[in-house]
Amino acid sequence: MMSTPPPAINRIMKPLDSLLADLNQIHAQKKINADLLLRLSEYVNIAKNELLYFMEKSLSVQQNLLYDKSSMTLCQSSKTYANITADNSPKGILIVDSGHSSLPTNSEADKIEENLIDALKEQEVRATIHKRSVTNKGKIVFKYSDNSSNKIIDHKQNIEGILSKSVYIKSKLNPKVTITNIPNFFDCSSKENIISEIINSNPRIESLFNNNKSESLEVVSSFNGKSKCIICRVTPGVRDVIVELNFAIRFCSRICKVYDNIQITRCYKCARFGHISKYCKGETTCGLCTKNHSTKTCTESTENHSCINCKSFDHQNTDCKNHNSFNKDCPAFIMEKKKLIAKINWGLHPIRS
């Protein structure tokens, strides 16, 4: 529950609330453009969020905080259910090669798990193992959560030495976001300038980077659609701040809306998922009618459209004839999207699949 704002904050918040109410009243009287109202409202909401952030930051110094010396992190005395489930959900996969191709027995797998836990403790890595499974090639797969996943990667060789076995580590992906409404005058050719503008224009993101060196922000690409957009891969902590700012950040003195970027890789040669046409080894398949010709040359009517991906999942699936392979309501596409979402570490604010 948020603390009651002190009088100084209230004196600033009340005029902002009054301004927002006046703007809505002017819009109701059709004296203001809807787009202008949206931009002004976003300015007001971001100003309020910034004030509340600095208020909470100043109050937190006076509140009872638990200082965990072993992890060198500050933790509040109470956490929400979302915080707890996000902290404890598996964030990585660690694979141990049992050393032989046959399936290890349960006692062998138990011994390897026990040795792994001892190895993690010896390296001072505080990881929680959630689930263990065995592949048909004799490898033992552990799903784990770790507040410092980089540490487990840093000590990979030491862990291998203690176990005397090969270890492979797979961490969940960092999320990608799309920043829209970038000013046309801004030169997106320099990734360093983009990163600098994002950090310097947003105090909460800047504060996050100053206090936590493990946070990162990587520019993936930029493009011109209805507006100039930038796609960035960010650490979960950066996305948490963006979510708390109502998916809106400052960029060149402009308020820019931000969206989670969940892009499914699709091949336009065979119309299937997971690769692009440049690396496709399959046959040319139409994404509209599933016949052996290019999608661009298809002349079939909408009534004859069907989905090659739904056919691949289930040859008896009648739904495959109700849509083509590019339909966003396609069951196979929805399944692929859920699989991608599950591979990403969304931080404290998981996305709804």
Side-chain angles (χ1 to χ4, degrees):
M1 184 178 294
M2 186 174 292
S3 304
T4 304
I9 296 291
N10 271 329
R11 284 196 294 271
I12 303 172
M13 293 286 282
K14 285 181 179 178
L16 288 174
D17 287 332
S18 299
L19 174 59
L20 198 57
D22 290 343
L23 287 172
N24 286 318
Q25 186 175 359
I26 294 170
H27 179 251
Q29 297 171 359
K30 298 182 178 179
K31 294 181 180 180
I32 187 172
N33 180 274
D35 291 336
L36 178 59
L37 172 68
L38 179 63
R39 286 202 302 274
L40 292 173
S41 299
E42 285 173 348
Y43 277 115
V44 173
N45 285 326
I46 285 187
K48 290 170 65 176
N49 285 333
E50 293 290 347
L51 284 168
L52 290 173
Y53 165 69
F54 287 113
M55 179 202 77
E56 289 179 333
K57 190 173 180 181
S58 61
L59 287 176
S60 66
V61 178
Q62 305 166 24
Q63 292 172 345
N64 292 328
L65 297 175
L66 297 176
Y67 188 69
D68 188 342
K69 293 183 179 179
S70 61
S71 63
M72 297 300 287
T73 57
L74 286 174
C75 305
Q76 289 186 338
S77 56
S78 61
K79 285 190 175 184
T80 64
Y81 177 77
N83 295 152
I84 294 168
T85 54
D87 289 345
N88 293 333
S89 61
K91 293 181 174 63
I93 296 174
L94 187 147
I95 303 171
V96 178
D97 193 337
S98 63
H100 45 78
S101 57
S102 59
L103 293 177
T105 63
N106 283 335
S107 59
E108 289 174 331
D110 288 341
K111 186 62 178 176
I112 290 174
E113 182 174 350
E114 182 181 339
N115 292 339
L116 173 61
I117 292 172
D118 289 340
L120 294 174
K121 287 181 180 178
E122 186 173 323
Q123 300 303 311
E124 298 183 349
V125 177
R126 297 192 312 155
T128 303
I129 294 174
H130 294 268
K131 186 177 180 181
R132 185 185 79 195
S133 59
V134 179
T135 70
N136 54 9
K137 294 185 178 179
K139 292 181 172 59
I140 305 174
V141 180
F142 298 95
K143 289 188 176 181
Y144 71 90
S145 62
D146 177 19
N147 292 331
S148 53
S149 58
N150 288 333
K151 195 169 184 180
I152 208 171
I153 294 171
D154 293 341
H155 291 284
K156 176 179 175 291
Q157 289 185 339
N158 294 337
I159 294 170
E160 285 181 324
I162 296 169
L163 293 177
S164 299
K165 298 182 185 299
S166 298
V167 172
Y168 311 90
I169 298 172
K170 295 182 179 179
S171 295
K172 281 198 171 187
L173 301 172
N174 281 338
K176 287 197 293 186
V177 295
T178 301
I179 306 170
T180 63
N181 199 30
I182 302 297
N184 288 325
F185 62 79
F186 186 85
D187 182 9
C188 291
S189 60
S190 171
K191 293 184 178 181
E192 290 77 13
N193 288 346
I194 293 173
I195 295 171
S196 177
E197 182 63 34
I198 293 172
I199 294 175
N200 294 335
S201 298
N202 297 274
R204 288 195 61 180
I205 296 178
E206 184 179 22
S207 175
L208 187 69
F209 273 80
N210 290 338
N211 296 328
N212 192 341
K213 301 301 180 184
S214 66
E215 299 295 346
S216 68
L217 191 159
E218 172 196 356
V219 177
V220 177
S221 62
S222 60
F223 63 94
N224 287 318
K226 292 182 179 179
S227 65
K228 186 179 281 190
C229 301
I230 296 171
I231 298 175
C232 296
R233 189 178 291 280
V234 299
T235 45
V238 175
R239 181 182 176 273
D240 287 338
V241 172
I242 293 172
V243 174
E244 289 159 12
L245 291 174
N246 296 322
F247 285 99
I249 65 171
R250 292 192 188 97
F251 196 99
C252 289
S253 301
R254 179 182 287 189
I255 303 301
C256 298
K257 293 295 289 181
V258 184
Y259 299 91
D260 285 313
N261 183 297
I262 308 170
Q263 190 171 2
I264 306 299
T265 304
R266 184 196 296 272
C267 176
Y268 288 95
K269 178 187 172 187
C270 70
R272 289 174 172 83
F273 304 120
H275 64 278
I276 58 176
S277 55
K278 181 180 179 180
Y279 304 107
C280 182
K281 297 180 180 179
E283 296 181 352
T284 299
T285 305
C286 178
L288 299 178
C289 69
T290 72
K291 294 181 180 178
N292 293 333
H293 60 252
S294 170
T295 302
K296 293 180 180 179
T297 62
C298 184
T299 57
E300 291 286 350
S301 62
T302 306
E303 291 77 15
N304 294 326
H305 284 184
S306 58
C307 175
I308 187 62
N309 292 300
C310 286
K311 280 186 177 180
S312 300
F313 280 115
D314 182 0
H315 290 283
Q316 305 301 319
N317 191 345
T318 55
D319 287 339
C320 68
K321 295 186 179 299
N322 294 339
H323 62 277
N324 60 52
S325 302
F326 306 109
N327 192 307
K328 291 185 177 180
D329 295 322
C330 164
F333 175 80
I334 293 172
M335 186 184 300
E336 199 71 19
K337 186 176 178 181
K338 286 183 177 180
K339 284 164 59 179
L340 176 59
I341 289 173
K343 293 178 181 178
I344 297 173
N345 180 6
W346 297 102
L348 299 178
H349 304 281
I351 192 171
R352 292 181 180 179
S353 58

